[in-house]
Short mmCIF file of all heavy atoms in Angstrom, two decimals:
data_model
loop_
_atom_site.label_atom_id
_atom_site.label_comp_id
_atom_site.label_asym_id
_atom_site.label_seq_id
_atom_site.Cartn_x
_atom_site.Cartn_y
_atom_site.Cartn_z
N ASN A 81 94.27 114.66 53.16
CA ASN A 81 93.95 115.70 52.18
C ASN A 81 93.76 117.05 52.89
O ASN A 81 94.23 118.08 52.41
CB ASN A 81 92.69 115.32 51.42
CG ASN A 81 92.51 116.07 50.12
OD1 ASN A 81 91.76 115.66 49.25
ND2 ASN A 81 93.17 117.19 49.97
N ALA A 82 93.06 117.03 54.01
CA ALA A 82 92.85 118.26 54.77
C ALA A 82 94.17 118.84 55.27
O ALA A 82 94.39 120.06 55.19
CB ALA A 82 91.91 117.99 55.96
N ALA A 83 95.06 117.97 55.76
CA ALA A 83 96.37 118.44 56.21
C ALA A 83 97.17 119.04 55.06
O ALA A 83 97.83 120.08 55.21
CB ALA A 83 97.13 117.30 56.88
N MET A 84 97.13 118.39 53.90
CA MET A 84 97.83 118.87 52.74
C MET A 84 97.28 120.24 52.30
O MET A 84 98.04 121.11 51.88
CB MET A 84 97.72 117.87 51.60
CG MET A 84 98.66 116.71 51.70
SD MET A 84 100.40 117.20 51.68
CE MET A 84 100.50 118.08 50.12
N ASP A 85 95.97 120.41 52.37
CA ASP A 85 95.37 121.71 52.03
C ASP A 85 95.96 122.82 52.89
O ASP A 85 96.34 123.88 52.39
CB ASP A 85 93.85 121.67 52.22
CG ASP A 85 93.15 120.96 51.07
OD1 ASP A 85 93.82 120.63 50.09
OD2 ASP A 85 91.93 120.74 51.16
N GLY A 86 95.98 122.57 54.22
CA GLY A 86 96.52 123.58 55.12
C GLY A 86 97.99 123.85 54.90
O GLY A 86 98.42 125.01 54.85
N ILE A 87 98.78 122.79 54.76
CA ILE A 87 100.21 122.95 54.54
C ILE A 87 100.51 123.65 53.23
O ILE A 87 101.35 124.56 53.15
CB ILE A 87 100.91 121.56 54.58
CG1 ILE A 87 100.81 120.97 55.98
CG2 ILE A 87 102.37 121.67 54.16
CD1 ILE A 87 101.28 119.52 56.06
N TRP A 88 99.81 123.24 52.16
CA TRP A 88 100.05 123.83 50.84
C TRP A 88 99.61 125.29 50.80
O TRP A 88 100.31 126.15 50.23
CB TRP A 88 99.33 122.99 49.80
CG TRP A 88 99.58 123.37 48.38
CD1 TRP A 88 98.66 123.54 47.40
CD2 TRP A 88 100.86 123.57 47.74
NE1 TRP A 88 99.26 123.85 46.19
CE2 TRP A 88 100.62 123.89 46.39
CE3 TRP A 88 102.17 123.54 48.19
CZ2 TRP A 88 101.63 124.17 45.48
CZ3 TRP A 88 103.21 123.82 47.29
CH2 TRP A 88 102.91 124.12 45.96
N GLY A 89 98.46 125.60 51.37
CA GLY A 89 98.01 126.98 51.41
C GLY A 89 98.99 127.88 52.17
O GLY A 89 99.30 128.99 51.73
N TRP A 90 99.50 127.38 53.31
CA TRP A 90 100.45 128.18 54.09
C TRP A 90 101.75 128.35 53.33
O TRP A 90 102.37 129.42 53.33
CB TRP A 90 100.70 127.49 55.43
CG TRP A 90 101.61 128.25 56.34
CD1 TRP A 90 101.26 129.23 57.24
CD2 TRP A 90 103.03 128.09 56.45
NE1 TRP A 90 102.38 129.68 57.89
CE2 TRP A 90 103.48 129.01 57.43
CE3 TRP A 90 103.96 127.27 55.81
CZ2 TRP A 90 104.81 129.13 57.78
CZ3 TRP A 90 105.30 127.37 56.17
CH2 TRP A 90 105.71 128.30 57.15
N THR A 91 102.22 127.27 52.66
CA THR A 91 103.45 127.33 51.93
C THR A 91 103.39 128.31 50.77
O THR A 91 104.33 129.08 50.52
CB THR A 91 103.82 125.93 51.39
OG1 THR A 91 103.90 125.00 52.47
CG2 THR A 91 105.16 125.95 50.67
N ILE A 92 102.28 128.27 50.04
CA ILE A 92 102.11 129.21 48.93
C ILE A 92 102.19 130.65 49.39
O ILE A 92 102.76 131.51 48.75
CB ILE A 92 100.77 128.94 48.21
CG1 ILE A 92 100.81 127.61 47.49
CG2 ILE A 92 100.46 130.06 47.21
CD1 ILE A 92 99.49 127.22 46.86
N SER A 93 101.60 130.90 50.55
CA SER A 93 101.54 132.28 51.05
C SER A 93 102.86 132.76 51.64
O SER A 93 103.04 133.95 51.85
CB SER A 93 100.43 132.40 52.10
OG SER A 93 100.74 131.65 53.27
N ARG A 94 103.78 131.83 51.94
CA ARG A 94 105.00 132.22 52.65
C ARG A 94 106.29 132.07 51.83
O ARG A 94 107.29 132.68 52.18
CB ARG A 94 105.14 131.38 53.93
CG ARG A 94 104.01 131.66 54.93
CD ARG A 94 103.98 133.12 55.33
NE ARG A 94 102.80 133.44 56.12
CZ ARG A 94 102.38 134.66 56.36
NH1 ARG A 94 103.04 135.68 55.87
NH2 ARG A 94 101.29 134.85 57.06
N SER A 95 106.29 131.22 50.81
CA SER A 95 107.53 130.95 50.08
C SER A 95 107.45 131.56 48.68
O SER A 95 106.61 131.16 47.86
CB SER A 95 107.77 129.43 49.97
OG SER A 95 108.83 129.15 49.11
N MET A 97 109.70 131.27 46.28
CA MET A 97 110.13 130.31 45.29
C MET A 97 109.00 129.33 44.93
O MET A 97 108.73 129.08 43.75
CB MET A 97 111.34 129.53 45.81
CG MET A 97 111.88 128.47 44.83
SD MET A 97 113.23 127.52 45.51
CE MET A 97 112.37 126.59 46.79
N ILE A 98 108.34 128.79 45.97
CA ILE A 98 107.21 127.86 45.73
C ILE A 98 106.09 128.57 45.02
O ILE A 98 105.43 128.02 44.12
CB ILE A 98 106.76 127.23 47.05
CG1 ILE A 98 107.88 126.38 47.68
CG2 ILE A 98 105.51 126.39 46.83
CD1 ILE A 98 108.29 125.22 46.83
N HIS A 99 105.84 129.82 45.43
CA HIS A 99 104.73 130.57 44.84
C HIS A 99 104.89 130.71 43.32
O HIS A 99 103.94 130.59 42.58
CB HIS A 99 104.66 131.96 45.49
CG HIS A 99 103.29 132.55 45.50
ND1 HIS A 99 102.43 132.39 46.53
CD2 HIS A 99 102.63 133.30 44.56
CE1 HIS A 99 101.30 133.02 46.27
NE2 HIS A 99 101.39 133.58 45.08
N ARG A 100 106.13 130.92 42.89
CA ARG A 100 106.38 131.07 41.47
C ARG A 100 106.26 129.73 40.72
O ARG A 100 106.07 129.71 39.49
CB ARG A 100 107.78 131.64 41.26
CG ARG A 100 107.87 133.12 41.63
CD ARG A 100 109.29 133.60 41.57
NE ARG A 100 109.36 135.06 41.78
CZ ARG A 100 110.50 135.74 41.96
NH1 ARG A 100 111.65 135.09 42.00
NH2 ARG A 100 110.46 137.05 42.16
N MET A 101 106.38 128.63 41.46
CA MET A 101 106.31 127.31 40.84
C MET A 101 104.92 126.72 40.81
O MET A 101 104.73 125.63 40.30
CB MET A 101 107.26 126.35 41.58
CG MET A 101 108.72 126.72 41.52
SD MET A 101 109.75 125.71 42.64
CE MET A 101 109.42 124.07 41.99
N VAL A 102 103.93 127.43 41.38
CA VAL A 102 102.58 126.88 41.51
C VAL A 102 101.99 126.42 40.18
O VAL A 102 101.43 125.32 40.10
CB VAL A 102 101.65 127.90 42.22
CG1 VAL A 102 100.17 127.54 42.03
CG2 VAL A 102 101.97 127.95 43.70
N PRO A 103 102.07 127.20 39.06
CA PRO A 103 101.48 126.73 37.80
C PRO A 103 102.09 125.40 37.35
O PRO A 103 101.37 124.48 36.92
CB PRO A 103 101.79 127.85 36.82
CG PRO A 103 101.90 129.08 37.68
CD PRO A 103 102.55 128.59 38.94
N ALA A 104 103.43 125.27 37.42
CA ALA A 104 104.07 124.05 36.99
C ALA A 104 103.72 122.87 37.91
O ALA A 104 103.47 121.75 37.45
CB ALA A 104 105.59 124.24 36.95
N ILE A 105 103.68 123.15 39.21
CA ILE A 105 103.32 122.08 40.18
C ILE A 105 101.90 121.61 39.92
O ILE A 105 101.61 120.41 40.00
CB ILE A 105 103.49 122.59 41.61
CG1 ILE A 105 104.98 122.83 41.93
CG2 ILE A 105 102.90 121.63 42.61
CD1 ILE A 105 105.22 123.48 43.26
N SER A 106 101.01 122.53 39.61
CA SER A 106 99.63 122.14 39.36
C SER A 106 99.50 121.27 38.12
O SER A 106 98.65 120.37 38.07
CB SER A 106 98.74 123.39 39.21
OG SER A 106 99.04 124.08 37.99
N ALA A 109 100.66 117.81 39.23
CA ALA A 109 99.66 117.26 40.14
C ALA A 109 98.42 116.80 39.39
O ALA A 109 97.81 115.78 39.74
CB ALA A 109 99.29 118.30 41.19
N THR A 140 96.84 113.71 47.81
CA THR A 140 97.98 114.64 47.83
C THR A 140 98.01 115.48 46.56
O THR A 140 98.11 116.71 46.61
CB THR A 140 99.31 113.86 47.99
OG1 THR A 140 99.29 113.09 49.17
CG2 THR A 140 100.48 114.81 48.05
N SER A 141 97.96 114.82 45.42
CA SER A 141 98.01 115.55 44.16
C SER A 141 96.80 116.45 43.98
O SER A 141 96.91 117.57 43.43
CB SER A 141 98.12 114.57 42.97
OG SER A 141 97.08 113.62 43.00
N PHE A 142 95.65 116.01 44.46
CA PHE A 142 94.45 116.82 44.33
C PHE A 142 94.58 118.12 45.13
O PHE A 142 94.17 119.19 44.69
CB PHE A 142 93.20 116.04 44.78
CG PHE A 142 91.92 116.74 44.49
CD1 PHE A 142 91.29 116.58 43.28
CD2 PHE A 142 91.32 117.55 45.45
CE1 PHE A 142 90.08 117.23 43.00
CE2 PHE A 142 90.12 118.21 45.18
CZ PHE A 142 89.52 118.06 43.96
N ALA A 143 95.14 118.02 46.34
CA ALA A 143 95.33 119.21 47.17
C ALA A 143 96.23 120.23 46.47
O ALA A 143 96.01 121.44 46.55
CB ALA A 143 95.90 118.83 48.52
N LEU A 144 97.25 119.74 45.77
CA LEU A 144 98.20 120.65 45.11
C LEU A 144 97.58 121.46 43.99
O LEU A 144 98.04 122.57 43.67
CB LEU A 144 99.39 119.83 44.55
CG LEU A 144 100.25 119.14 45.60
CD1 LEU A 144 101.37 118.35 44.90
CD2 LEU A 144 100.83 120.11 46.60
N LEU A 145 96.51 120.95 43.39
CA LEU A 145 95.83 121.71 42.33
C LEU A 145 94.57 122.40 42.84
O LEU A 145 94.16 123.42 42.29
CB LEU A 145 95.52 120.81 41.14
CG LEU A 145 94.53 119.66 41.34
CD1 LEU A 145 93.08 120.06 40.97
CD2 LEU A 145 94.93 118.45 40.48
N ASP A 146 93.99 121.88 43.90
CA ASP A 146 92.71 122.38 44.40
C ASP A 146 92.88 123.73 45.11
O ASP A 146 92.12 124.67 44.86
CB ASP A 146 92.08 121.35 45.33
CG ASP A 146 90.70 121.78 45.82
OD1 ASP A 146 89.95 122.36 45.01
OD2 ASP A 146 90.35 121.49 46.98
N VAL A 147 93.86 123.83 45.99
CA VAL A 147 94.03 125.05 46.79
C VAL A 147 94.30 126.30 45.93
O VAL A 147 93.62 127.32 46.07
CB VAL A 147 95.13 124.85 47.85
CG1 VAL A 147 95.47 126.17 48.54
CG2 VAL A 147 94.69 123.84 48.89
N PRO A 148 95.26 126.25 45.00
CA PRO A 148 95.50 127.46 44.18
C PRO A 148 94.32 127.78 43.26
O PRO A 148 94.04 128.97 43.01
CB PRO A 148 96.76 127.13 43.38
CG PRO A 148 96.89 125.65 43.44
CD PRO A 148 96.29 125.22 44.72
N HIS A 149 93.61 126.76 42.78
CA HIS A 149 92.45 127.03 41.95
C HIS A 149 91.36 127.73 42.76
O HIS A 149 90.75 128.71 42.30
CB HIS A 149 91.89 125.74 41.34
CG HIS A 149 90.61 125.95 40.58
ND1 HIS A 149 89.36 125.77 41.16
CD2 HIS A 149 90.38 126.34 39.30
CE1 HIS A 149 88.44 126.04 40.25
NE2 HIS A 149 89.00 126.38 39.14
N LEU A 219 96.36 130.05 36.69
CA LEU A 219 97.07 130.43 37.91
C LEU A 219 98.10 131.52 37.61
O LEU A 219 98.28 132.44 38.41
CB LEU A 219 97.74 129.22 38.55
CG LEU A 219 96.78 128.11 38.98
CD1 LEU A 219 97.56 126.94 39.60
CD2 LEU A 219 95.75 128.64 39.97
N SER A 370 94.93 132.43 49.94
CA SER A 370 95.43 131.05 49.93
C SER A 370 95.21 130.36 51.26
O SER A 370 94.77 129.21 51.30
CB SER A 370 96.94 131.05 49.57
OG SER A 370 97.15 131.58 48.30
N THR A 371 95.51 131.06 52.36
CA THR A 371 95.35 130.45 53.68
C THR A 371 93.89 130.18 53.98
O THR A 371 93.54 129.11 54.52
CB THR A 371 95.95 131.37 54.76
OG1 THR A 371 97.31 131.64 54.44
CG2 THR A 371 95.87 130.72 56.12
N ALA A 374 92.51 127.38 51.87
CA ALA A 374 93.10 126.12 52.34
C ALA A 374 92.38 125.65 53.61
O ALA A 374 92.09 124.44 53.77
CB ALA A 374 94.59 126.30 52.61
#
Side-chain angles (χ1 to χ4, degrees):
N81 199 161
M84 281 298 302
D85 282 353
I87 294 171
W88 186 227
W90 183 87
T91 303
I92 291 174
S93 66
R94 296 301 170 194
S95 171
M97 180 183 68
I98 296 297
H99 208 92
R100 288 173 174 170
M101 296 171 60
V102 165
I105 292 174
S106 70
T140 302
S141 55
F142 189 87
L144 295 179
L145 64 93
D146 185 37
V147 171
H149 175 266
L219 298 180
S370 297
T371 304

